[in-house]
Amino acid sequence: AIDIASSLMEKGEVCQVKTDHRFAYGTIGRSPDIPPNSSLVYDLELLEIKSPLDFSSISEKELLIHLNKKRGRGNDLFQRKEFALAVHSYSRAVDMMRNYQDQQSIKDLSSEMTDLWIRCLNNLAAAQLKIEMYDEALESVLSVLRVDPVNIKALYRCGKVYLIKGELDDAIKTLQMAANLNPEEKAIHAELQKALRKRDQEREQERALYKRMMTGGSRSNTGSRQTSPKPQTTKPSSSTSSSSSSLGWKAILLGVGVTVAAVGIGFLVAKYRK
């Protein structure tokens, strides 16, 4: 509420801001003076307006002061479970470091800046995971691992994102590396066992599917087999039968004719001799 109201004020202006708990200290409150779910009234006076940071000329010491404030603000928001606001605060710190590095053409940050860079990105990834920004969380932890390949928190969160995204081989490889670096961390082993169980389940499902496919194919081949047809004797068609019958009668008549002719000739010969 203060951030929103102050951005609308002029220098020297005084105002009173009434706000719901959502824009104050939320469901957690602030111990010991502000109970959870408290609506508040702020009396504000805008005393000064500062210019934006000039990253081309700011010193590293001065920048570290601003960065630690942003990170501390993000930590408070995270503890109050204001994860979206925590993401915004951590992201501002990361952007400030990037701008500083780009505008001053610094290839390698100092050890103190590098340590803060890693802390901010790890915290950013944790907040992003809480609000299911999985692709963004993965990019945050990969940015850490480019600087510190054996950072246990980054490896753990990286493996967790891979597991959520279903990239089981990458998840197991990354979580195994984290477990080797810190064998006592129960959270790492819990995620690793979860990834291993899920991979075993998927492999079992693949084997069952393959078995069903093979069984179904075998049954299909068995069903398609048929006994060879028995040879059948074909009966002559009616036209063939009638043809054969006609030829038979012709042969009989021809035989009768020949016989008659032979008898006649024999008779004539006998008469001539007498």
Side-chain angles (χ1 to χ4, degrees), residues 6 10-13 45-51:
S6 61
E10 300 289 340
K11 183 178 179 180
E13 185 177 352
E45 180 180 1
L46 187 59
L47 301 176
E48 183 181 4
I49 299 175
K50 294 183 178 180
S51 301

Side-chain angles (χ1 to χ4, degrees), residues 52-193:
L53 295 178
D54 183 1
F55 293 103
S56 62
S57 60
I58 192 172
S59 67
E60 181 178 300
K61 184 177 180 180
E62 186 180 359
L63 179 61
L64 284 169
I65 294 171
H66 289 283
L67 293 173
N68 280 309
K69 285 182 179 179
K70 288 292 183 185
R71 179 173 169 270
R73 171 71 171 160
N75 291 346
D76 290 341
L77 291 166
F78 190 92
Q79 290 174 1
R80 296 208 306 270
K81 300 183 180 181
E82 301 284 351
F83 301 119
L85 294 175
V87 166
H88 176 73
S89 189
Y90 293 134
S91 296
R92 287 287 299 122
V94 170
D95 290 341
M96 288 167 68
M97 280 186 275
R98 283 180 176 145
N99 288 334
Y100 171 76
Q101 189 173 10
D102 290 342
Q103 294 196 26
Q104 297 206 9
S105 301
I106 300 173
K107 293 184 179 180
D108 298 314
L109 295 171
S110 68
S111 59
E112 191 173 3
M113 285 285 287
T114 300
D115 180 66
L116 188 56
W117 167 264
I118 290 172
R119 288 173 181 271
C120 286
L121 283 169
N122 267 329
N123 292 351
L124 175 59
Q128 288 166 332
L129 278 169
K130 291 292 187 180
I131 55 176
E132 300 180 358
M133 296 175 64
Y134 300 128
D135 291 336
E136 293 81 358
L138 182 60
E139 180 55 37
S140 295
V141 292
L142 289 176
S143 295
V144 173
L145 294 173
R146 292 185 194 107
V147 178
D148 183 7
V150 293
N151 187 278
I152 295 172
K153 286 184 178 180
L155 287 169
Y156 166 67
R157 289 176 182 135
C158 185
K160 192 169 184 177
V161 174
Y162 281 140
L163 177 57
I164 292 169
K165 292 167 69 68
E167 299 175 22
L168 298 181
D169 290 338
D170 288 333
I172 292 168
K173 179 182 177 181
T174 307
L175 289 167
Q176 187 64 67
M177 189 183 300
N180 291 339
L181 291 168
N182 188 359
E184 304 301 322
E185 181 55 57
K186 293 181 179 179
I188 296 174
H189 286 282
E191 291 297 318
L192 178 57
Q193 291 303 314

Side-chain angles (χ1 to χ4, degrees), residues 202-213:
E202 288 194 358
R203 288 180 175 177
E204 184 60 34
Q205 290 171 356
E206 289 173 0
R207 284 193 291 267
L209 177 60
Y210 180 74
K211 185 177 180 180
R212 286 197 299 270
M213 290 172 63

